[in-house]
Amino acid sequence: MRGFIILLSLLLIFKLSIAQPGQRSHIAGGKASSSHADIDNLNNVAYDIFLSEPDSARKIAENALLLSQKSNYSLGMGRSFYNIGLIYWSQSYYTISLFYLNSATNYLSLSHPMELSDCFNALGRTYADLGNYKQALVELNRSLSLAGNDTTRIAEVHSQRSYVYFAEKNYDKAIVTAQYALKLNLSVDATGNVAVLYARLGGIYRCKKNYRAALDYDDVAYDLSKKTFNKRLRAKMYVEYALINNELHKYDLAISYAKKGASLADSIGVVDAEAGAYNAMVKSYELKNDLQGALAYQKKYTAMNDSISASARLKTVKLIQNYYALNSKLEGIKLMEANDIENKAKIKAQTRLILILSVSLLVLISLLFVTFYLYKQKKILSSKLGIQHNALLDQKQLIEIQTADLQSVNGLKDKLLAVIGHDLRTPVANMSNIVEMFNDGYLNESEVGDLMKEIAPIIKGAELTLSNLTEWAGSQIKGRNVNSTNVDIFLLGVEMEQTFTHHLQLKNIEFVNQAYAGQSVLADENHIKVILRNLVSNAIKFTDNKGNIKLSTKIEGNSIVVSVTDTGKGMNRSEIEKLFSINTHFSHSGTSGERGTGIGLLLCKELVELNGGKLSVKSVVGKGSTFYFNLPLMGAYA
């Protein structure tokens, strides 16, 4: 009787185990359907905001991509890749954009022709921006073949074609194509696209030297830019007006338009339009034979290009980091899914085997030992899964720590850029004001000379700030190499005295070089120059008039200790503790109001340590400070 009851119970368990997979499939199907809707919503949001908030849009699209990967949702993955590609295109990262857009085509099938048409259209525009016009037309033809009767998409394809023909200088074909696209956009009341096409036609006619037609189209584009609140287009129209008036020899009018364009572009952060305005003004002043005016705006144009290049480098580093982080997450999901499938298969197989062995137990009691063995195997597998789970938790904690570190470094970067931007704005503004006042006749050459002598220390401080920033940024991005040579500290001290002669004379400070002549250290000469330049500059900044600064050396074992001592204001213990920390560094104003960023001492500390030494400081409030560091002597002296 007992055997019959056991057999009945085992058969019931077996039946439930068979029924459960179907039930689980039904439940999973419901969750997947809901997940697909959530993914589609995320992609819609990312597309709506990618032009105004590209960084936020990219995070949303990446999250949609990860969710699509987990749920094996092909359309979601295709749209996510497409959105990420559009975002990188809007930020001018065309090569990375091509990678994501081509990835999107692998997931968007012909069952979704409109999405696939949009993707090929984006590929065509990106290839055109990269100068590959032949491939751009191939992609646009693919987009057109999928657009069907959708007037908006057909208009967009022809608009991009006109852009390609314009870039190829096939102006007649560009005009015909742009006018056809204009007609289609007018039929669907796409005012924003209509404004862009009028501006493009104006640019084409300008290149054809038909300035009357160009101005007619530009006037319509300008009015529509105001109607649609498109400040970016309006800034570019001002630049276009400046270029046309240069061709018409109306240089003063061209300068007026270029200044309006530069001002508007600066207010909304459109750097390429601002740079174009400066370039137009350079040409206007050159054609007027006003070489001073041309030189002034050439400097602004060069500074703008340098700023764009520096920003591009920083953004490129961040872009590469984002790409590898996303790729790592995708690979992690694939690996986890593979492991999950494998583990589920093992558990399912073992569960069935245990049930079969349990039923067979009534017939052959000897199989009990086999069942027990399999049970132990299951426990071992569960233990392994637990270990893997703990490893995943550890990895998550590590990622959170790294994220906090990255946020800290990014915060420091923002702080440094803000301070440096403020410090550099003053000398540049002073120089600009002097030039403008001289040009307007308010200052003569003698007064300009006097003013230039007064702001020379500020310019020199800005130069040191830029030098420190370049050195520090280079170390953060590419790392450092140490080229050790025979370095004479005494000779470097002579060079420092010559470098800061004007600063020393302004504050009547005596510089005393007590370094041992002829005693050499093994170090990178450029690094030591940067260190001494920063230490001597700081000493001058915090030393009152008629003070003194002393450079000295002394031998300790196989090392030489280099010190820079001043009779300045000094520091308390709390300030000293903050000097060399990347998170708590600070900077005071000098005795004459000099400003600094605080990056100089951080750079000095890094360079000293790279050359095998250690930077330290002794200071007494009101009496002065001594910064000292040790370096290895050359083998002969050691």
Side-chain angles (χ1 to χ4, degrees):
M1 184 66 179
R2 177 180 293 181
F4 176 78
I5 294 173
I6 294 174
L7 177 60
L8 184 61
S9 300
L10 291 173
L11 289 173
L12 180 60
I13 294 172
F14 183 53
K15 182 178 180 181
L16 290 172
S17 68
I18 295 174
Q20 285 172 353
Q23 297 171 356
R24 285 196 297 269
S25 298
H26 176 72
I27 295 170
K31 290 182 178 178
S33 177
S34 175
S35 177
H36 291 176
D38 293 339
I39 292 169
D40 290 338
N41 288 334
L42 288 174
N43 276 318
N44 291 338
V45 172
Y47 180 83
D48 289 338
I49 68 172
F50 84 93
L51 285 175
S52 59
E53 300 178 45
D55 292 333
S56 298
R58 189 184 67 253
K59 291 179 181 179
I60 294 171
E62 288 176 352
N63 189 28
L65 179 60
L66 295 175
L67 293 174
S68 299
Q69 176 79 19
K70 289 180 180 179
S71 60
N72 197 25
Y73 182 31
S74 296
L75 178 60
M77 293 181 68
R79 291 191 64 199
S80 300
F81 276 120
Y82 168 73
N83 282 332
I84 297 173
L86 281 184
I87 293 163
Y88 281 126
W89 168 82
S90 71
Q91 296 176 317
S92 300
Y93 295 115
Y94 301 125
T95 304
I96 301 298
S97 174
L98 283 180
F99 169 80
Y100 283 104
L101 291 174
N102 279 306
S103 298
T105 61
N106 295 328
Y107 294 94
L108 295 173
S109 64
L110 293 175
S111 59
H112 300 91
M114 296 298 102
E115 287 80 4
L116 197 55
S117 174
D118 291 339
C119 192
F120 283 127
N121 187 66
L123 279 168
R125 176 58 187 261
T126 306
Y127 276 118
D129 287 328
L130 288 170
N132 190 345
Y133 306 122
K134 181 178 179 181
Q135 187 62 36
L137 291 174
V138 171
E139 301 298 340
L140 291 174
N141 288 337
R142 291 177 179 174
S143 176
L144 185 61
S145 66
L146 293 166
N149 297 322
D150 191 313
T151 303
T152 301
R153 286 182 168 87
I154 295 172
E156 184 64 19
V157 170
H158 284 89
S159 177
Q160 301 303 346
R161 278 183 174 176
S162 71
Y163 173 76
V164 173
Y165 297 143
F166 182 25
E168 290 179 326
K169 298 184 179 180
N170 189 347
Y171 300 133
D172 292 336
K173 198 169 185 178
I175 290 172
V176 172
T177 308
Q179 287 177 340
Y180 181 61
L182 181 61
K183 177 181 178 181
L184 293 176
N185 278 302
L186 287 171
S187 69
V188 295
D189 198 25
T191 308
N193 292 337
V194 169
V196 172
L197 283 166
Y198 271 107
R200 184 170 298 154
L201 285 165
I204 295 171
Y205 277 108
R206 175 178 57 79
C207 291
K208 287 172 65 68
K209 300 188 182 300
N210 187 345
Y211 304 121
R212 182 67 266 163
L215 285 171
D216 289 340
Y217 281 108
D218 287 343
D219 288 341
V220 176
Y222 176 80
D223 291 337
L224 289 176
S225 73
K226 295 173 69 176
K227 180 180 179 181
T228 58
F229 305 100
N230 190 340
K231 292 184 178 180
R232 176 188 177 92
L233 178 60
R234 198 185 317 160
K236 292 195 173 185
M237 295 314 303
Y238 282 132
V239 177
E240 186 71 17
Y241 282 138
L243 294 175
I244 293 175
N245 281 287
N246 272 337
E247 296 293 333
L248 296 175
H249 308 296
K250 299 179 180 179
Y251 307 127
D252 291 332
L253 185 59
I255 291 171
S256 175
Y257 278 121
K259 286 183 177 180
K260 290 180 180 179
S263 176
L264 181 58
D266 180 66
S267 69
I268 60 177
V270 183
V271 292
D272 57 343
E274 187 175 0
Y278 288 146
N279 193 32
M281 280 189 275
V282 171
K283 186 175 180 180
S284 299
Y285 281 112
E286 286 178 346
L287 293 172
K288 288 181 63 177
N289 292 321
D290 186 348
L291 298 182
Q292 289 184 339
L295 179 60
Y297 282 101
Q298 180 64 46
K299 288 181 179 179
K300 290 187 177 183
Y301 176 71
T302 302
M304 178 63 63
N305 284 337
D306 291 343
S307 175
I308 293 172
S309 299
S311 176
R313 286 194 296 270
L314 292 174
K315 288 184 177 179
T316 300
V317 172
K318 185 178 179 182
L319 179 150
I320 294 172
Q321 292 173 342
N322 290 339
Y323 168 74
Y324 280 107
L326 177 59
N327 188 61
S328 176
K329 290 178 181 178
L330 290 174
E331 291 298 326
I333 290 174
K334 290 180 180 178
L335 181 60
M336 290 174 63
E337 288 178 346
N339 290 336
D340 187 54
I341 292 173
E342 182 181 354
N343 291 332
K344 285 182 178 179
K346 289 181 179 179
I347 292 174
K348 184 176 181 180
Q350 289 179 354
T351 302
R352 287 185 176 179
L353 182 56
I354 290 173
L355 290 173
I356 293 172
L357 290 174
S358 298
V359 173
S360 302
L361 179 64
L362 299 175
V363 181
L364 298 171
I365 194 64
S366 59
L367 293 180
L368 178 63
F369 296 101
V370 178
T371 304
F372 177 73
Y373 171 76
L374 291 174
Y375 177 75
K376 286 184 63 178
Q377 291 295 104
K378 182 179 178 181
K379 294 291 290 183
I380 293 172
L381 181 59
S382 298
S383 177
K384 289 182 179 179
L385 287 174
I387 293 172
Q388 291 178 356
H389 178 70
N390 291 333
L392 288 174
L393 291 178
D394 293 339
Q395 186 68 21
K396 178 183 177 183
Q397 184 178 10
L398 177 60
I399 291 173
E400 291 174 350
I401 294 173
Q402 292 173 342
T403 300
D405 292 339
L406 287 173
Q407 290 174 346
S408 175
V409 173
N410 190 53
L412 173 62
K413 178 263 295 180
D414 292 340
K415 178 181 178 182
L416 288 176
L417 289 178
V419 175
I420 291 168
H422 178 270
D423 290 346
L424 295 183
R425 189 181 300 114
T426 298
V428 172
N430 289 339
M431 290 290 291
S432 178
N433 289 335
I434 291 173
V435 171
E436 290 180 1
M437 292 176 70
F438 180 73
N439 289 337
D440 295 336
Y442 293 113
L443 297 175
N444 57 39
E445 292 183 358
S446 175
E447 291 172 330
V448 170
D450 294 336
L451 288 173
M452 293 301 290
K453 290 179 181 179
E454 291 181 8
I455 70 170
I458 301 175
I459 300 298
K460 202 70 177 179
E463 181 183 0
L464 181 60
T465 297
L466 283 175
S467 176
N468 288 337
L469 178 61
T470 302
E471 287 284 335
W472 184 80
S475 69
Q476 299 301 310
I477 296 173
K478 297 182 285 188
R480 291 192 179 275
N481 294 320
V482 179
N483 300 315
S484 298
T485 58
N486 186 345
V487 181
D488 190 327
I489 301 299
F490 175 81
L491 295 180
L492 293 186
V494 173
E495 182 178 339
M496 293 300 109
E497 184 175 6
Q498 293 173 349
T499 300
F500 293 97
T501 297
H502 184 67
H503 296 71
L504 294 168
Q505 290 175 351
L506 284 177
K507 300 178 77 171
N508 198 17
I509 296 174
E510 180 184 10
F511 182 87
V512 182
N513 186 356
Q514 292 184 350
Y516 295 130
Q519 285 189 330
S520 301
V521 296
L522 182 63
D524 188 310
E525 185 174 0
N526 288 330
H527 291 180
I528 305 306
K529 285 182 179 180
V530 172
I531 296 167
L532 291 178
R533 188 162 60 244
N534 276 280
L535 294 182
V536 173
S537 175
N538 281 348
I540 294 173
K541 181 165 66 174
F542 297 110
T543 300
D544 290 314
N545 291 338
K546 298 183 181 181
N548 67 78
I549 298 170
K550 180 172 66 177
L551 171 67
S552 61
T553 58
K554 67 177 181 179
I555 297 174
E556 289 184 359
N558 291 333
S559 300
I560 188 168
V561 178
V562 183
S563 61
V564 177
T565 303
D566 62 64
T567 58
K569 61 172 67 174
M571 296 174 289
N572 57 39
R573 181 181 296 274
S574 175
E575 292 172 332
I576 292 174
E577 290 175 352
K578 296 178 180 178
L579 280 179
F580 303 114
S581 171
I582 193 169
N583 293 317
T584 61
H585 78 287
F586 71 104
S587 176
H588 281 314
S589 298
T591 57
S592 296
E594 302 98 325
R595 298 297 303 273
T597 63
I599 195 175
L601 286 178
L602 294 177
L603 180 60
C604 290
K605 179 177 181 293
E606 178 183 343
L607 294 179
V608 168
E609 291 173 354
L610 280 172
N611 286 272
K614 181 180 179 182
L615 179 64
S616 303
V617 60
K618 295 178 181 177
S619 184
V620 178
V621 176
K623 294 185 178 181
S625 304
T626 298
F627 287 83
Y628 58 97
F629 58 95
N630 61 299
L631 295 170
L633 283 165
M634 290 296 293
Y637 294 100

